[in-house]
């Protein structure tokens, strides 16, 4: 990260990506100066990425140099950018990496960009979705995934990185990976070879709207993907990247920014320069904004209103970004390194896709890793782990070593014929049960507002036990299952077919799941779903609710914690209640009550 002057944020850098269409407009110096004056009034910009190519459009050298000079005169760094699309509007049409003419164009674009910049980044589209006759012939008997992984690794080396460094030996090439990492391998994004070949990687953290956006990402995804990519290339994940598309309320846009920074991304890139021309639409104000949400619409406007209370004419999206960064900068200064439940996702794996983000929305902080975390006292494994051919042996070794393993029903089902039934003779069946009541302990029945459809698990009585049972009238269906083996316990967590049915689970059920999964962390937060928890290694943590109504939560800690301080308000939580088990006996935990306003976060520090 660069040294920060008073003109920059102290705890992260901000970059703005300029598409080739933005760069074309920059040929008019008056337009560029007027637009950048508006942006820089609100946002402290460290760097801009100037794109040389997109959609077969190439910005001329003179135009690029003119733009570089403009920003240099204002103390703003410049790097290059490339988007390898032929026609983005035609279902993101990419170049064909089999066709000799297309390959030559890809190479020439890299060489041209390296001649202008000592660093450049590849936007989302360095993948291939081409299935032309040439590609079909070149694929042969391989799967599309196998073919494309090899093809794009070769293309990275021989068409982009090699030619660029031949032109400019100093050039650093970064690849920006988009948000859909579960499916990368099918399009040739290679998370095994790419982070090694490229000088750095970058993270797409745009989650947009989970309902109306066609990717339906959960908010937590914008945090967890940064951590996963950091674990893939430690120290080489340069930052997170957010765009304003499909964010129908301004707080949804702002949430993407601060979640990226909660993950400790050293830089955040705003896509794209031309979007900041877009006027700030008062219709983007959500009903809960101004009711204590962390994106306070009125507070954002207040410093910029005219004396008569009217809006200044140049108000734009940059105001929302700038307001968010001013709020977040002092928060980031308080935070240590993120920690969470270790979970293993092998490279190129699929299975229960994006489930980790749904678990994050239950208040379970996830530390997603590309290698098996054998040293951890407790690990969480989802269906993606089936891609490791040795996974059953690794699970068994963990248990023999006295470590706890929690597997999802999806993973257990995938491994039923691969030896996991040697650990416990249990079967995840194809039968389903509609469940609305749950038994969480002896004679402790809780009722949910809505039913959930669960896969039914068969097991042998007394060989293993239900920790939480879903009830349909008089029949039980394991939701959390306990199976002793060797020197420890394997737990099976049943996952509904529809992942967001997890949000329907009662608070008492969620509390029991968190109690297990978070037992090695300093804290957990009990309350409704869609309240996220971010934990750091310096006794700080953040609790964020994306619910449109206020949420009451209980912060559960060890008894060594005597108070919890709200870092932003100075309020101290001291009224700690003992946490009791189902027998009414103390668990050795304290519980502090806290309230979260709609769509808000609170930053806390433990006092001991």
């Amino acid at each position: 990260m660069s040294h920060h002057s008073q003109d920059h944020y102290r705890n992260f850098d901000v970059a703005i990506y300029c598409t080739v269409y933005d760069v074309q407009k920059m040929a008019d110096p008056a337009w560029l100066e007027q637009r950048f004056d508006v942006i820089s009034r609100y946002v402290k910009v460290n760097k801009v990425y100037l794109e040389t190519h997109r959609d077969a459009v190439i910005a001329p050298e003179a135009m690029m140099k003119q733009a570089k000079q403009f920003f240099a005169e204002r103390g703003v760094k410049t790097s290059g950018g490339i988007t390898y699309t032929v026609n983005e509007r035609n279902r993101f049409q990419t170049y064909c990496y089999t066709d000799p003419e297309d390959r030559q164009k890809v190479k020439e674009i890299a060489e041209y960009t390296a001649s202008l910049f000592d660093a450049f980044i590849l936007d989302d589209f360095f993948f291939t979705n081409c299935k032309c006759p040439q590609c079909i012939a070149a694929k042969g008997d391989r799967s599309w995934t196998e073919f494309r992984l090899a093809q794009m690794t070769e293309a990275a080396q021989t068409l982009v990185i090699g030619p660029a460094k031949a032109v400019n030996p100093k050039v650093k090439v970064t690849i920006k990976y988009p948000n859909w990492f579960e499916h990368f391998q099918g399009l040739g994004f290679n998370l095994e070879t790419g982070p090694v070949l490229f000088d750095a990687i970058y993270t797409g953290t745009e989650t947009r709207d989970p309902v109306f956006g066609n990717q339906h990402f959960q908010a937590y995804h914008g945090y967890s993907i940064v951590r996963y990519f950091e674990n893939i290339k430690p120290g080489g994940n340069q930052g997170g990247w957010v765009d304003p598309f499909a964010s129908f309320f301004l707080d949804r846009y702002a949430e993407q920014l601060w979640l990226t920074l909660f993950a400790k991304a050293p830089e955040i890139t705003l896509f794209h320069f031309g979007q900041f021309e877009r006027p700030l639409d008062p219709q983007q104000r959500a009903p809960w904004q101004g009711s204590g949400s962390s994106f306070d619409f009125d507070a954002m406007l207040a410093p910029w209103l005219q004396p008569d209370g009217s809006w200044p004419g140049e108000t734009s999206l940059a105001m929302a970004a700038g307001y968010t960064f001013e709020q977040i900068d002092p928060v980031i200064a308080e935070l240590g390194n993120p920690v969470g439940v270790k979970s293993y996702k092998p490279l190129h794996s699929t299975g229960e896709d994006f489930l980790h983000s749904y678990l994050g929305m239950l208040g379970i902080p996830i530390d997603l890793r590309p290698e098996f975390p054998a040293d951890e006292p407790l690990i969480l494994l989802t269906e993606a782990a089936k891609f490791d051919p040795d996974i059953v042996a690794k699970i068994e070794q963990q248990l023999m070593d006295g470590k706890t393993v929690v597997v999802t029903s999806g993973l257990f089902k995938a491994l039923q014929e691969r030896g996991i039934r040697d650990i416990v003779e249990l079967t995840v069946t194809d039968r389903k049960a509609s469940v609305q009541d749950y038994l969480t302990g002896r004679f402790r029945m809780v009722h949910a507002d809505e039913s959930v459809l669960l896969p039914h698990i068969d097991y042998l009585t007394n060989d293993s036990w239900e920790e939480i049972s879903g009830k349909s009238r008089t029949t039980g269906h394991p939701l959390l299952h306990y199976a002793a083996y060797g020197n420890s316990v394997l737990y099976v967590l049943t996952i509904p077919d529809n992942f967001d049915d997890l949000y329907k689970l009662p608070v008492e059920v969620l509390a029991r799941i968190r109690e297990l999964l978070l037992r090695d962390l300093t804290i957990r937060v009990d309350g409704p779903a869609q309240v996220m928890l971010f934990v750091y290694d310096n006794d700080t943590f953040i609790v964020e609710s994306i619910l449109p109504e206020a949420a009451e939560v209980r912060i559960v800690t060890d008894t060594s914690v005597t108070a919890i301080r709200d870092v932003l308000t100075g309020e101290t939580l001291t009224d700690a209640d003992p946490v009791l088990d189902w027998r009414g006996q103390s668990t050795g935990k304290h519980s502090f009550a806290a309230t979260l306003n709609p769509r808000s976060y609170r930053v806390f520090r433990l006092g001991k």
Side-chain angles (χ1 to χ4, degrees):
M1 192 184 302
S2 66
H3 173 74
H4 290 86
S5 70
Q6 290 183 338
D7 294 330
H8 296 135
Y9 305 106
R10 297 183 60 83
N11 298 289
F12 52 86
D13 289 347
V14 173
I16 297 179
Y17 193 90
C18 309
T19 69
V20 72
Y21 305 116
D22 295 327
V23 173
Q24 286 178 325
K25 291 180 181 178
M26 291 176 184
D28 177 357
W31 179 89
L32 175 55
E33 184 159 6
Q34 191 269 331
R35 296 320 306 160
F36 187 69
D37 282 351
V38 172
I39 292 171
S40 58
R41 181 175 307 154
Y42 302 119
V43 179
K44 301 172 182 177
V45 181
N46 298 80
K47 179 168 69 178
V48 295
Y49 292 98
L50 298 171
E51 188 175 78
T52 57
H53 171 276
R54 176 183 296 256
D55 295 348
V57 176
I58 296 177
E61 182 175 352
M63 190 180 293
M64 297 298 295
K65 289 184 174 179
Q66 179 180 320
K68 282 180 66 176
Q69 181 178 348
F70 172 88
F71 290 110
E73 289 170 353
R74 287 153 183 80
V76 177
K77 299 178 191 174
T78 53
S79 289
I82 300 174
T83 298
Y84 278 119
T85 49
V86 176
N87 184 354
E88 188 176 351
R89 294 170 183 83
N90 183 26
R91 297 184 182 271
F92 308 115
Q93 181 185 350
T94 64
Y95 281 95
C96 172
Y97 292 89
T98 305
D99 179 79
E101 283 190 29
D102 276 11
R103 287 173 61 85
Q104 182 63 24
K105 288 176 187 173
V106 168
K107 178 173 178 284
E108 289 172 357
I109 292 162
E111 291 169 334
Y112 172 55
T113 307
S115 73
L116 294 169
F117 299 96
D118 288 336
F120 66 85
I121 191 169
L122 306 185
D123 188 12
D124 280 1
F125 301 100
F126 190 61
F127 64 82
T128 179
N129 54 15
C130 184
K131 288 185 177 178
C132 71
Q134 284 177 285
C135 285
I136 293 170
K139 180 181 85 71
D141 294 334
R142 290 174 289 180
S143 69
W144 281 108
T145 291
E146 291 168 333
F147 168 63
R148 287 169 169 172
L149 283 172
Q151 183 182 51
M152 295 310 294
T153 294
E154 182 274 334
Q157 292 172 299
T158 63
L159 302 182
V160 179
I161 300 170
K165 290 184 183 287
V167 168
N168 179 358
K170 296 186 298 182
V171 74
K172 302 294 184 186
V173 186
T174 298
I175 183 166
K176 183 243 174 171
Y177 289 121
N179 49 21
W180 42 277
F181 70 90
E182 294 273 15
H183 305 147
F184 277 178
Q185 59 279 359
L187 285 297
F189 270 132
N190 195 325
L191 286 178
E192 184 176 8
T193 61
V196 177
L197 292 173
F198 287 93
D199 296 292
I201 62 177
Y202 220 92
T203 310
T205 57
E206 55 276 88
T207 48
R208 309 185 181 109
D209 187 284
V211 177
F212 297 104
N214 58 12
Q215 292 177 302
H216 311 292
F217 286 123
Q218 307 305 293
Y220 187 83
H221 183 81
Y223 170 92
S224 61
I225 189 173
V226 177
R227 302 312 310 159
Y228 185 47
F229 287 178
E230 177 64 25
N231 289 332
I232 289 175
K233 190 175 178 70
N237 186 9
Q238 287 185 330
W241 177 304
V242 175
D243 65 42
F245 307 130
S247 300
F248 299 104
F249 297 118
L250 281 171
D251 61 350
R252 181 76 279 272
Y253 175 60
E255 284 165 356
Q256 296 172 79
L257 302 181
W258 67 57
L259 283 165
T260 301
L261 295 169
F262 287 171
K264 301 304 289 283
E267 179 181 273
I268 188 165
T269 291
L270 306 177
F271 183 93
H272 59 94
F273 192 90
Q275 278 296 307
F276 291 98
E277 295 181 63
R278 195 171 86 187
L280 200 59
D281 183 356
Q283 298 304 313
Q284 284 191 274
R285 178 175 182 153
W288 50 81
Q289 287 168 355
S291 62
S293 70
S294 291
F295 187 85
D296 189 323
F297 201 90
D298 294 323
M300 178 190 71
L301 292 179
W304 307 104
L305 293 178
Q306 305 288 5
D308 63 358
S310 63
W311 288 28
E314 70 278 5
T315 305
S316 71
L317 192 65
M319 176 187 278
Y323 171 77
T324 302
F325 292 145
E326 292 293 344
Q327 299 295 107
I328 288 296
D329 196 21
V331 170
I332 305 305
E334 298 286 337
L335 307 177
N337 297 311
V339 296
V341 180
K342 300 291 191 297
S343 190
Y344 173 41
K345 177 175 168 51
L347 299 176
H348 314 323
S349 64
T350 56
E352 293 179 323
D353 295 352
F354 303 107
L355 175 61
H356 295 96
S357 295
Y358 289 86
L359 296 174
M361 299 297 288
L362 302 183
I364 300 168
I366 300 290
D367 185 9
L368 196 56
R369 297 195 163 253
E371 71 288 328
F372 188 82
D375 294 336
E376 293 300 312
L378 182 149
I379 60 174
L380 169 67
L381 301 176
T382 68
E383 188 186 345
K386 71 185 180 185
F387 274 71
D388 184 335
D390 301 319
I391 190 62
V392 173
K394 290 177 179 177
I395 292 171
E396 185 172 355
Q397 189 61 55
Q398 292 295 104
L399 299 173
M400 295 302 292
D401 290 343
K403 301 183 174 84
T404 301
V405 180
V406 182
V407 302
T408 62
S409 51
L411 178 60
F412 197 98
K413 186 172 186 178
L415 301 178
Q416 282 176 176
E417 305 306 321
R418 287 174 50 184
I420 199 168
R421 295 181 85 249
D422 288 340
I423 296 173
V424 56
E425 293 189 50
L426 178 152
T427 304
V428 180
T429 73
D430 292 327
R431 293 163 18 227
K432 311 289 182 185
S434 180
V435 167
Q436 199 164 354
D437 295 289
Y438 302 86
L439 191 63
T440 60
R442 186 173 295 182
F443 308 122
R444 294 175 65 191
M445 188 75 75
V446 293
H447 182 73
D449 293 334
E450 298 180 77
S451 63
V452 170
L453 193 65
L454 291 179
H456 175 76
I457 292 177
D458 283 339
Y459 64 97
L460 304 180
T461 302
N462 287 324
D463 181 57
S464 59
W465 292 96
E466 298 176 21
E467 291 276 303
I468 305 174
S469 301
K471 306 294 288 185
S472 55
R473 292 179 295 278
T474 60
T475 304
H477 311 277
L479 180 64
L480 181 65
H481 205 73
Y482 171 107
Y485 182 85
N487 298 308
S488 190
V489 176
L490 176 77
Y491 288 90
V492 181
L493 177 63
T494 306
I495 303 297
D497 288 354
N498 180 6
F499 295 163
D500 72 9
D501 274 355
L502 290 165
Y503 303 163
K504 300 177 182 178
L505 296 177
V507 293
E508 296 89 346
V509 172
L510 293 174
R512 179 66 188 91
I513 295 170
R514 296 181 191 118
E515 181 185 7
L516 168 63
L517 288 172
L518 307 188
R519 70 184 190 194
D520 296 317
L521 295 185
T522 53
I523 68 150
R524 72 173 193 267
V525 173
D526 287 340
Q530 302 191 77
V531 174
M532 297 175 281
L533 171 64
F534 309 95
V535 181
Y536 302 85
D537 65 1
N538 65 340
D539 287 337
T540 59
F541 62 98
I542 299 170
V543 187
E544 178 180 355
S545 170
I546 67 161
L547 295 169
E549 64 277 346
E552 303 295 330
V553 301
R554 308 288 300 184
I555 301 169
V556 179
T557 71
D558 293 335
T559 52
S560 61
V561 177
T562 57
I564 297 176
R565 183 172 64 87
D566 185 314
V567 171
L568 299 180
T569 67
E571 176 190 356
T572 300
L573 310 179
T574 56
D575 188 14
D577 298 324
V579 179
L580 307 178
D581 64 16
W582 64 272
R583 293 171 296 230
Q585 298 177 353
S586 174
T587 61
K589 300 285 187 180
H590 275 167
S591 172
F592 299 79
T595 301
L596 289 160
N597 287 325
R599 307 296 290 230
S600 71
Y601 61 83
R602 295 182 70 176
V603 186
F604 294 104
R605 184 178 295 276
L606 299 177
K608 296 182 180 180

